[in-house]
Amino acid sequence: MEHQDKPEGHEASCHSGSDRKSHHSDKTKSNLVTRLNRIEGQIRGVKGLIEKDTYCDDVLNQIAAIQSALNGVGKLLLEHHLNSCVIERIQEGDNEVIKELMITVNKLMK
């Protein structure tokens, strides 16, 4: 994956610290926002189903679909993180990124 995600005029960086930024291209950001907007709509839909006393199994199936969609967003973000920030920080000799990554992966897999 090519590293083309730095916005023009800004020097994005994956270095540790509180001002870290991601390297997402406009296409990736748009994809993520579209997915999250869809998920947001699904959540509002589940809320409506509960308010209408919809059969529990139907609501649970919708929740499963939302969880799957969120997993998809997480996988996409993880892939981009590995191919940009993680590689960059390892190349700079910052092996703490591996510990950080493992903590994050463990949270995602709960």
Side-chain angles (χ1 to χ4, degrees), residues 8-65:
E8 289 183 32
H10 294 99
E11 202 49 41
S13 174
C14 290
H15 302 287
S16 0
S18 61
D19 61 344
R20 295 184 292 181
K21 300 282 185 186
S22 65
H23 291 291
H24 302 302
S25 67
D26 288 340
K27 181 179 177 183
T28 299
K29 281 188 212 178
S30 177
N31 183 353
L32 291 168
V33 168
T34 298
R35 288 171 179 239
L36 290 169
N37 285 339
R38 191 175 306 121
I39 292 166
E40 186 177 27
Q42 288 176 298
I43 291 170
R44 281 193 304 273
V46 166
K47 181 180 172 189
L49 292 175
I50 290 171
E51 290 170 345
K52 294 176 193 170
D53 295 321
T54 302
Y55 184 60
C56 294
D57 192 59
D58 295 337
V59 177
L60 291 167
N61 283 318
Q62 289 302 311
I63 290 171

